[in-house]
Amino acid sequence: MSDFRDRRESHRETSASCPAVFIAAPASGQGKTTVTAALARMLRRRSKVVRVFKTGPDYLDPRVLAQASGRSVDPLDLWMAGETYCRRRLFEAAQEADLILVEGAMGLFDGEPSSADLAALFGLPMVIVMDVKGMAQTAAALVSGLVGFRDDIRIAGLIANACGSARHRELIDAALPESVPLLAAMPRDASLALPERHLGLVQAEEIRDDLEARFEAGAEALAGEGLAEVLLGMTPVTFTAAPAEAAAPPRWLAGRTIAVARDAAFSFLYQANLDLLERMGASLRFFSPLEDPALPACDALWLPGGYPELHGARLAANADLHDDIRRAFAADLPILAECGGLLYALDTLTDQQGEIHAMLGLLPGAGAMRGRRGCQGMQTAELPEGPVRGHAHHRSQASGTPEPIGFGRRQRHPAPGEAIYRARRLTATYLHLFFPDNPVAVARLFGADAVEADSIKECQA
């Protein structure tokens, strides 16, 4: 990489520059992740370092993009993570990358803050990905509308996804405004699309070989477009270090071991959350509720979200581990159970086929899937330890549960959000927490004996 050394040295400085592109779309389901993964793999095949970020709360897309790019993928969200966190991650990435790709969420103007807000704040040129099946000149009209909607963003081009033929491409290209070139056309080919299920993409770990074939096919489809040269030749974006860079948080969890469930049933883990726990001194020990007969020796337990509903029978069959976790609960170990972890902590779970499976029974109640109806949105968990921002995303419900100790506070709606339960030192909720939002509260949640009343902002990771 030609200028890696110079940008590595800039770590001591307050800014770093790197070509960067924001991959956006007019709506969900246009193929943003498919295209972003193909771009990352195409450039990786050229031995380029590509750092990819995903806008908004998301556990599934980042792991797919990490496999495509060969680098970890972090979320960027101005509300949940905050500007300081986002600025720091982009600044760090710019010191090593040949190109930064940021994949947006939903439509580029949807939400508050939106993908466009993030792109505007950091000066990222946007490339629109649009599924053009069933239209031609109309695709150009939609792009023209996106270009003129705000004057603080720059749309650098269009990637036409699901393009039917060379003639189809020509019709779109000829109708586009001069300021927005057609950068590439992805063919209409089901073998390029990424497999999905009820909460989003299928987990990367479950279909690694299949994904590899799709990444390679996508990269090959884009290889002849000259797109790599266009992206790498873009004017570099300058990223500045976060103002008053925060020091590492105190080691409030030093000497404490946290057991973390991680397998196909429990996998919704932000790397940023794991990193923060370790920066605060915790030792993490991963275990599989599907496979391991015993809980690792630990001082606290984290049961994150995932897909327990797909593995109900195997979870129920691991009776020895159930007994171990119940003993930890009775011994008042701090336990955090998020979403899928909440379902696991209940008495029973009814899966999508209507089968009922015995769960841990730490918290009275029954979990059940509810078809396509679900709940999602940004919320703040109002915990006794302090507020922690996060989000909800589930298609299940819990009934027969005890009275909650509180509720999540929705981002922009006065109605109560997700319930928050306490039993002994178990905290259970449908909310997925973003730990760097409030390290003080998180340290307390996992049993830190003494946490100074430092400013939360000063401790953000």
Side-chain angles (χ1 to χ4, degrees), residues 69-249:
S69 66
R71 296 285 193 284
S72 63
V73 174
D74 293 323
L76 295 180
D77 186 89
L78 290 176
W79 184 84
M80 186 179 73
E83 179 183 341
T84 296
Y85 173 91
C86 296
R87 188 175 298 280
R88 181 174 302 121
R89 292 297 180 263
L90 288 167
F91 171 70
E92 292 168 350
Q95 296 173 64
E96 65 167 346
D98 292 299
L99 177 71
I100 291 174
L101 295 174
V102 180
E103 183 194 333
M106 303 182 293
L108 70 163
F109 300 120
D110 297 327
E112 297 183 37
S114 65
S115 291
D117 292 328
L118 183 65
L121 178 64
F122 295 109
L124 304 173
M126 305 185 89
V127 169
I128 303 299
V129 172
M130 186 183 301
D131 187 325
V132 297
K133 181 180 179 181
M135 60 178 166
Q137 290 90 343
T138 301
L142 292 173
V143 170
S144 296
L146 298 174
V147 169
F149 192 74
R150 285 175 55 164
D151 60 8
D152 61 344
I153 61 170
R154 181 171 72 87
I155 295 179
L158 169 69
I159 295 178
N161 190 30
C163 194
S165 65
R167 179 56 179 160
H168 189 188
R169 175 189 178 129
E170 290 172 4
L171 292 171
I172 296 169
D173 195 10
L176 283 169
E178 291 185 5
S179 63
V180 184
L182 180 60
L183 299 175
M186 288 279 280
R188 191 180 304 162
D189 185 346
S191 69
L192 301 178
L194 303 175
E196 298 185 62
R197 59 161 64 115
H198 58 287
L199 290 181
L201 298 180
V202 176
Q203 298 181 98
E205 293 81 357
E206 299 178 41
I207 53 170
R208 184 167 295 278
D209 291 342
D210 180 45
L211 285 179
E212 282 298 309
R214 294 172 190 267
F215 296 155
E216 290 297 322
E220 195 63 35
L222 294 176
E225 298 274 3
L227 192 51
E229 289 75 18
V230 171
L231 297 180
L232 294 169
M234 284 187 167
T235 302
V237 178
T238 298
F239 299 98
T240 58
E245 283 264 270

Side-chain angles (χ1 to χ4, degrees), residues 110-415:
D110 297 327
E112 297 183 37
S114 65
S115 291
D117 292 328
L118 183 65
L121 178 64
F122 295 109
L124 304 173
M126 305 185 89
V127 169
I128 303 299
V129 172
M130 186 183 301
D131 187 325
V132 297
K133 181 180 179 181
M135 60 178 166
Q137 290 90 343
T138 301
L142 292 173
V143 170
S144 296
L146 298 174
V147 169
F149 192 74
R150 285 175 55 164
D151 60 8
D152 61 344
I153 61 170
R154 181 171 72 87
I155 295 179
L158 169 69
I159 295 178
N161 190 30
C163 194
S165 65
R167 179 56 179 160
H168 189 188
R169 175 189 178 129
E170 290 172 4
L171 292 171
I172 296 169
D173 195 10
L176 283 169
E178 291 185 5
S179 63
V180 184
L182 180 60
L183 299 175
M186 288 279 280
R188 191 180 304 162
D189 185 346
S191 69
L192 301 178
L194 303 175
E196 298 185 62
R197 59 161 64 115
H198 58 287
L199 290 181
L201 298 180
V202 176
Q203 298 181 98
E205 293 81 357
E206 299 178 41
I207 53 170
R208 184 167 295 278
D209 291 342
D210 180 45
L211 285 179
E212 282 298 309
R214 294 172 190 267
F215 296 155
E216 290 297 322
E220 195 63 35
L222 294 176
E225 298 274 3
L227 192 51
E229 289 75 18
V230 171
L231 297 180
L232 294 169
M234 284 187 167
T235 302
V237 178
T238 298
F239 299 98
T240 58
E245 283 264 270
R251 294 176 62 80
W252 291 315
L253 295 174
R256 298 188 66 81
T257 297
I258 300 174
V260 184
R262 187 171 68 177
D263 58 18
F266 301 97
S267 58
F268 290 2
L269 292 156
Y270 287 126
Q271 187 61 43
N273 285 4
L274 300 172
D275 292 345
L276 176 66
L277 293 176
E278 291 186 326
R279 290 175 67 198
M280 291 194 294
S283 174
L284 304 183
R285 297 193 65 182
F286 297 99
F287 72 101
S288 168
L290 292 173
E291 303 287 349
D292 294 332
L295 188 67
C298 61
D299 305 292
L301 172 61
W302 180 13
L303 303 172
Y307 287 108
E309 65 272 17
L310 300 181
H311 306 276
R314 290 180 64 195
L315 290 171
N318 197 349
D320 289 342
L321 179 63
H322 285 205
D323 291 341
D324 245 15
I325 295 177
R326 288 171 186 144
R327 282 190 286 269
F329 172 75
D332 285 331
L333 259 69
I335 302 174
L336 174 62
E338 300 176 312
C339 200
L342 162 65
L343 297 177
Y344 187 45
L346 297 175
D347 293 318
T348 62
L349 172 60
T350 302
D351 64 21
Q352 291 169 304
Q353 287 71 47
E355 297 292 325
I356 300 175
H357 307 283
M359 295 290 108
L360 294 173
L362 308 184
L363 187 73
M369 302 307 294
R370 54 178 184 179
R372 295 192 61 82
R373 294 181 59 215
C375 176
Q376 60 184 351
M378 311 293 262
Q379 298 181 30
T380 300
E382 298 290 355
L383 302 171
E385 293 80 8
V388 184
R389 289 186 173 187
H391 74 286
H393 183 52
H394 60 92
R395 288 185 178 169
S396 65
Q397 59 186 357
S399 60
T401 50
E403 191 70 21
I405 63 166
F407 294 88
R409 175 164 42 85
R410 298 178 189 272
Q411 182 186 8
R412 298 186 181 278
H413 196 283

